């Protein structure tokens, strides 16, 4: 699996700069296009900002900015999830904004996060049993107790470790430990980038001009990361012009 990821990454490096500047759709199709987009978007994630404590986190809709066929994206991402190669998370955004990352990166960062802590054994049990057998993004108490064999005390340990977060009474979301700061930076950064376009004449700006501007200090995740966010989330319309792609704030 690691070799396959590496081959995809190496093949994609040649197109990385073109995608970063022009936001063209990838030349590949189907699963290969989606995996290439994931590798590229993962490369935009600022690991050092989080002391390399988080796996590269990608918003599902960011992939739509690179692979225009959303049905293909959804189908391929679901296949990757069912195969256990990626994990998806609901981290406090709206219901349609899912976060995803590669499973091997998630596992390694979770183990690093709990290393030397009392909860480490329980977390490893969860990773070795639930994570490898169940692709779901949430779990209810009945399944945790009867199907996966966790006690109430162990579930509490998983919550304290940040591997699970409360969804509602008796159910939990799968979570990325320490991701709260990412969520905070993401929300502030998106607002700031949209504000840059909001202040422009006619509330529109050439993509090339936007990329050449100095981003506000609140855009901690990087301007390219947020450009793929606002395009994929359809917060801006992409309009082809003779001068390049024009980004215009979408109508509410």
């Amino acid at each position: 699996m690691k070799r396959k990821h590496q081959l995809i990454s190496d093949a994609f490096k040649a197109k990385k700069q073109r995608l970063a500047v022009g936001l063209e759709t990838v030349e590949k199709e189907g699963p290969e296009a989606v995996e290439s987009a994931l590798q590229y978007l993962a490369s935009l994630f600022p690991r050092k900002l989080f002391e390399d404590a988080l796996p590269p986190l990608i918003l599902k809709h960011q992939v739509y900015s690179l692979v225009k066929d959303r049905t293909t994206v959804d189908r391929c991402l679901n296949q990757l999830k069912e195969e256990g190669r990626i994990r998806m998370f609901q981290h406090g955004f709206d219901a349609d904004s899912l976060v995803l990352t590669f499973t091997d990166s998630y596992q390694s960062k979770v183990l690093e996060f709990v290393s030397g802590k009392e909860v480490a054994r329980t977390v490893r049990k969860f990773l070795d049993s639930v994570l490898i057998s169940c692709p779901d993004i949430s779990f209810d108490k009945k399944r945790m107790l009867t199907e996966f064999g966790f006690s109430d005390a162990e579930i509490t340990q998983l919550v304290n470790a940040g591997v699970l977060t409360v969804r509602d009474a008796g159910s939990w979301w799968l979570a990325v430990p320490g991701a709260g700061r990412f969520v905070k930076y993401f929300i502030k950064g998106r607002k700031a980038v949209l504000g840059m376009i909001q202040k422009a004449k006619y509330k529109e700006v050439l993509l090339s001009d936007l990329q050449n501007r100095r981003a506000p200090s609140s855009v901690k995740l990087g301007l390219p990361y947020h450009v793929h966010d606002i395009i994929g989330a359809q917060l801006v319309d992409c309009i082809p012009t003779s001068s390049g792609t024009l980004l215009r704030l979408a109508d509410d």
Side-chain angles (χ1 to χ4, degrees):
M1 182 185 299
K2 290 183 178 179
R3 174 169 175 76
K4 186 173 183 180
H5 281 174
Q6 185 62 47
L7 290 173
I8 292 169
S9 179
D10 291 343
F12 196 66
K13 284 177 181 177
K15 292 189 286 183
K16 179 177 177 180
Q17 185 175 0
R18 178 178 65 80
L19 283 169
V21 174
L23 285 171
E24 298 95 338
T25 55
V26 295
E27 294 173 353
K28 302 174 183 178
E29 297 181 355
E32 194 174 5
V34 173
E35 292 193 50
S36 294
L38 289 175
Q39 290 287 348
Y40 167 64
L41 291 168
S43 75
L44 296 181
F45 186 77
R47 290 172 178 251
K48 291 183 179 179
L49 181 64
F50 303 99
E51 297 81 38
D52 201 27
L54 297 179
L57 300 177
I58 303 164
L59 275 296
K60 179 183 176 182
H61 61 255
Q62 286 177 309
V63 184
Y64 298 148
S65 71
L66 295 171
V67 183
K68 298 304 182 183
D69 187 339
R70 295 188 171 220
T71 300
T72 294
V73 172
D74 292 345
R75 182 177 66 250
C76 292
L77 289 180
N78 187 62
Q79 181 178 344
L80 290 172
K81 180 171 70 76
E82 293 298 320
E83 292 174 354
R85 296 175 58 193
I86 64 171
R87 299 298 309 200
M88 293 187 182
F89 311 88
Q90 224 299 341
H91 257 293
F93 303 109
D94 58 86
D96 295 326
S97 295
L98 293 173
V99 177
L100 58 90
T101 193
F102 290 109
T103 302
D104 53 359
S105 295
Y106 174 74
Q107 289 176 308
S108 64
K109 292 305 176 184
V110 169
L111 290 175
E112 289 176 14
F113 187 82
V114 300
S115 178
K117 299 179 181 179
E118 293 183 3
V119 298
R121 177 179 292 185
T122 301
V123 169
R124 183 176 287 278
K125 174 184 174 182
F126 178 82
L127 296 178
D128 291 343
S129 58
V130 181
L131 199 72
I132 66 172
S133 65
C134 181
D136 295 349
I137 67 172
S138 67
F139 311 94
D140 61 39
K141 186 172 183 178
K142 182 178 179 180
R143 290 189 72 195
M144 289 296 292
L145 294 177
T146 60
E147 183 176 341
F148 300 125
F150 285 82
S151 65
D152 286 327
E154 287 176 321
I155 294 173
T156 299
Q157 287 182 331
L158 293 173
V159 173
N160 291 340
V163 175
L164 297 179
T165 58
V166 176
R167 179 179 182 178
D168 51 39
S171 68
W172 301 268
W173 295 111
L174 180 67
V176 179
R181 191 152 58 109
F182 162 75
V183 174
K184 178 181 177 181
Y185 289 163
F186 176 82
I187 293 172
K188 287 187 175 182
R190 171 190 273 188
K191 183 178 180 180
V193 173
L194 290 175
M196 294 170 70
I197 303 175
Q198 175 79 30
K199 294 175 183 177
K201 189 176 182 180
Y202 304 123
K203 300 181 181 179
E204 60 186 32
V205 63
L206 284 171
L207 173 60
S208 57
D209 290 345
L210 179 64
Q211 290 173 322
N212 289 327
R213 292 184 185 181
R214 183 174 181 177
S217 60
S218 56
V219 185
K220 296 184 183 297
L221 299 178
L223 196 53
Y225 190 92
H226 282 291
V227 167
H228 287 286
D229 162 48
I230 63 175
I231 291 176
Q234 298 183 314
L235 299 176
V236 294
D237 297 322
C238 295
I239 304 169
T241 74
S242 58
S243 300
T245 301
L246 184 73
L247 302 183
R248 178 181 296 160
L249 282 185
D251 295 332
D252 295 333

